[in-house]
């Protein structure tokens, strides 16, 4: 049966009045983000100094707020495209990222899934990093879906795990208990670099996901984490 081309091929976009509202929201968020103080670990500093070879950046969905500001400050030399859901909620996030200087690839399992994978591979081939939240866009929280690992296996591009841990933050009542760090609070950036030879030695994607999930848990600090 043929797929619905409208559902598969298009991503939701904001209307003009929503764009106006987002302009005000983005201005307020930029002021908030600029008050954050980042502390970087050794591996994080190593990635900042690394040559701009394309990488697959993996982070949890509830760390996006801090990740946006960290990337704007410390990874300006890297060109990054983020995978964002093609849903209406994703339209807000994609538009917000655009106002902050980021490109997006729109897609999810339910909409533009196959096309988004092709777009991500094209980004890597052009020398851009790609950023993926493997538990987005609907969870469950901290669920390592296999998409990013599968793209890495297809392309041979290294994976970089990113986590942002907080001294003080609000937690939203969303599926991922989204973090909003207090203004002027400290955020610790933690990076890890999975051994690509170890991943290639795994028999299948499921085994690679287990390895990545274990390492991601190792850099993630969260009282709700199980």
């Amino acid at each position: 049966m043929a797929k619905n081309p409208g559902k598969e091929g298009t991503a939701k976009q904001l209307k003009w009045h929503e764009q106006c509202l987002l302009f005000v929201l983005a201005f307020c968020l930029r002021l908030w983000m600029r008050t954050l103080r980042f502390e970087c670990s050794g591996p994080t500093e190593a990635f900042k100094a690394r040559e701009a070879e394309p990488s697959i950046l993996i982070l949890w969905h509830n760390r996006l707020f801090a990740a946006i500001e960290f990337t704007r400050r410390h990874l300006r030399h890297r060109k990054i495209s983020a995978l964002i859901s093609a849903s209406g909620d994703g339209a807000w996030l994609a538009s917000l990222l655009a106002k902050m200087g980021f490109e997006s690839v729109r897609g999810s399992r339910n909409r533009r899934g196959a096309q988004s994978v092709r777009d991500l591979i094209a980004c890597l081939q052009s020398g851009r990093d790609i950023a993926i939240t493997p538990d987005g866009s609907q969870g469950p929280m901290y669920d390592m879906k296999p998409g990013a690992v599968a793209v890495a296996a297809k392309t041979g591009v290294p994976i970089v795990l990113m986590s942002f841990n907080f001294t003080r933050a609000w937690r939203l009542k969303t599926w991922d208990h989204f973090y909003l760090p207090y203004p002027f609070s400290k955020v610790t950036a933690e990076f890890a670099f999975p051994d690509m030879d170890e991943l290639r030695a795994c028999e299948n994607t499921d085994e690679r996901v287990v390895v990545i999930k274990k390492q991601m848990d190792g850099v993630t600090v969260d009282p709700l984490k199980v």
Side-chain angles (χ1 to χ4, degrees):
M1 181 180 295
K3 294 181 179 179
N4 183 328
K7 183 175 180 180
E8 173 65 15
T10 61
K12 297 287 187 180
Q13 304 294 330
L14 294 187
K15 298 177 181 178
W16 70 268
H17 63 280
E18 293 173 325
Q19 289 284 0
C20 293
L21 176 60
L22 186 68
F23 178 84
V24 177
L25 177 62
F27 176 77
C28 296
L29 289 178
R30 279 196 294 267
L31 293 179
W32 184 349
M33 289 173 172
R34 287 174 183 173
T35 70
L36 300 178
R37 296 177 292 112
F38 286 95
E39 181 179 274
C40 302
S41 67
T44 306
E45 292 293 339
F47 181 68
K48 287 165 57 178
R50 193 166 154 182
E51 292 296 325
E53 61 174 336
S55 300
I56 298 174
L57 312 179
I58 296 179
L59 67 154
W60 297 127
H61 193 273
N62 62 14
R63 317 288 162 132
L64 278 173
F65 187 94
I68 292 170
E69 181 61 17
F70 178 87
T71 302
R72 290 180 68 248
R73 289 191 205 178
H74 298 287
L75 301 179
R76 285 183 176 273
H77 63 294
R78 305 190 70 92
K79 297 179 179 180
I80 302 175
S81 296
L83 177 64
I84 305 297
S85 167
S87 66
D89 289 344
W92 284 93
L93 180 55
S95 297
L96 176 63
L97 289 177
K99 293 186 182 303
M100 296 188 174
F102 296 92
E103 292 188 3
S104 299
V105 171
R106 303 293 303 281
S108 60
R109 288 178 299 174
N110 299 323
R111 188 189 297 268
R112 299 192 80 250
Q115 183 60 48
S116 65
V117 171
R118 291 191 289 268
D119 292 343
L120 290 172
I121 292 175
C123 287
L124 293 170
Q125 292 173 340
S126 70
R128 301 183 67 88
D129 296 330
I130 61 172
I132 298 176
T133 55
D135 57 343
S137 58
Q138 297 295 327
M141 183 174 69
Y142 302 144
D143 179 29
M144 183 66 67
K145 298 186 183 73
V149 179
V151 171
K154 286 184 178 181
T155 61
V157 171
I159 291 174
V160 178
L161 307 181
M162 306 170 62
S163 185
F164 299 90
N165 302 315
F166 308 94
T167 55
R168 295 182 301 156
W170 290 288
R171 303 297 298 270
L172 301 185
K173 293 181 179 180
T174 55
W175 63 265
D176 62 346
H177 299 281
F178 195 88
Y179 274 105
L180 288 176
Y182 288 3
F184 302 99
S185 64
K186 184 177 74 173
V187 181
T188 302
E190 298 276 357
F191 282 27
F193 307 96
D195 187 326
M196 296 305 291
D197 289 333
E198 179 184 1
L199 294 179
R200 281 190 284 268
C202 294
E203 293 186 359
N204 52 52
T205 297
D206 289 342
E207 288 188 6
R208 297 184 186 102
V209 167
V210 170
V211 172
I212 296 296
K213 177 66 163 62
K214 182 178 180 180
Q215 294 187 20
M216 193 67 179
D217 286 344
V219 295
T220 302
V221 176
D222 192 334
L224 298 180
K225 186 174 64 173
V226 294

